[in-house]
Amino acid sequence: MITLEGKRAVLTGAASGIGRATAELMAELGAAVVVADVDEAGAEVAAGIEKAGGRAAFVRTDVSRADDCARAVATAKDRFGGLDVLFNNAGIIRRSTVTEITDDDWDLVMAVNVRSVMLMSRFAVPLMEAAGGGSIINTGSGWGIQGGARAVSYCASKGAVVNMTRAMAIDHGASGIRVNCVCPGDTATGMLAEEARQLGEPAEAFYADAADRPLGRIGQPADIARMAAFLASDAAAFVSGAVIPVDGAGTA
Ligand code: NAI
């Protein structure tokens, strides 16, 4: 079994979906967690973790803003004494082609999905260096590896996250910092419902073919959380620069 006993983690987008499941699992495995999200519902996630006997703090964080990212990382130091794990997970999607997307939506997707990874890591790396190393886990997507329909900004952003992961792993390996990327396939979170809304389709459309997929279902947040927890742990001590699909053998 893996343990995260003694680890201090910051997780972005941890108010819901994959981020929430990962914060709860990491706390259960012994980590002190900072729940960073623009959604105030993150306060309830942190409260729930504390009620269950874990250690957690919520920081309202817009990951596209440098000052918010700095505050989220500083909270790990102030409340828990340092930082060992960063889960760059916050993300948004806009379902549009290059002829449909607005400049503002393009910039927003890039700011929330890509710039955030740079900003959070910029503040996290010095703390990890001070701790003698750490683990950064970025959230890509199957659509960061292959293309997907009407999601050009999202595909571009996740492709960037995939290759940023490899670059960061090279830059910071000598400091004992491992950097990896989890690439979920379709996973049952609010993001799928939001995609259906944007496309004007019923949410069930995204689940309709679930039984035909290789493992007979789409992903659950806990499926992704377990991979993130493994990558955060010392059990993954020689895993770095890896881009790991967690998609039940089907990304689309
Ligand atoms: P979700 O919508 O449940 O969670 C996303 C979280 O990010 C929310 O709590 C939201 O409040 C937060 N967020 C959005 N903008 C933010 C901002 N500016 N600052 C801080 N937080 C912000 O969706 P899900 O599925 O849990 O998404 C997590 C990650 O997984 C995302 O990066 C997403 O792109 C990725 N992913 C999800 C897939 C899926 O099928 N659900 C498939 C592949 C990747």
Side-chain angles (χ1 to χ4, degrees), residues 62-244:
D62 179 343
V63 291
S64 65
R65 294 178 53 101
D67 49 351
D68 278 18
C69 293
R71 195 168 58 245
V73 170
T75 301
K77 185 170 193 298
D78 297 344
R79 288 287 304 275
F80 305 128
L83 182 66
D84 309 287
V85 176
L86 170 63
F87 187 34
N88 283 316
N89 165 78
I92 57 170
I93 193 164
R94 291 291 179 272
R95 293 299 304 262
S96 41
T97 66
V98 281
T99 55
E100 295 164 340
I101 194 163
T102 63
D103 292 357
D104 283 350
D105 268 356
W106 177 273
D107 290 345
L108 185 63
V109 170
M110 289 300 162
V112 174
N113 292 6
V114 185
R115 189 166 185 268
S116 64
V117 175
M118 177 274 290
L119 289 173
M120 290 296 300
S121 304
R122 170 192 288 168
F123 299 117
V125 162
L127 286 188
M128 290 181 176
E129 286 173 342
S135 171
I136 297 175
I137 303 134
N138 296 329
T139 306
S141 167
W143 283 4
I145 300 169
Q146 66 176 51
R150 288 187 69 190
V152 69
S153 57
Y154 185 80
C155 292
S157 72
K158 293 301 188 177
V161 170
V162 162
N163 219 26
M164 274 178 81
T165 299
R166 299 183 180 117
M168 289 165 61
I170 292 166
D171 285 340
H172 304 293
S175 304
I177 300 170
R178 297 180 294 103
V179 188
N180 293 290
C181 186
V182 177
C183 289
D186 279 350
T187 305
T189 70
M191 182 169 277
L192 288 193
E194 171 60 16
E195 287 184 66
R197 192 192 64 75
Q198 290 179 20
L199 293 172
E201 291 176 9
E204 305 78 55
F206 283 86
Y207 301 82
D209 69 340
D212 299 331
R213 299 195 185 200
L215 291 186
R217 64 178 180 89
I218 62 168
Q220 293 298 321
D223 291 314
I224 317 303
R226 283 190 291 271
M227 177 56 75
F230 166 70
L231 292 170
S233 78
D234 295 342
F238 200 56
V239 184
S240 193
V243 175
I244 305 172

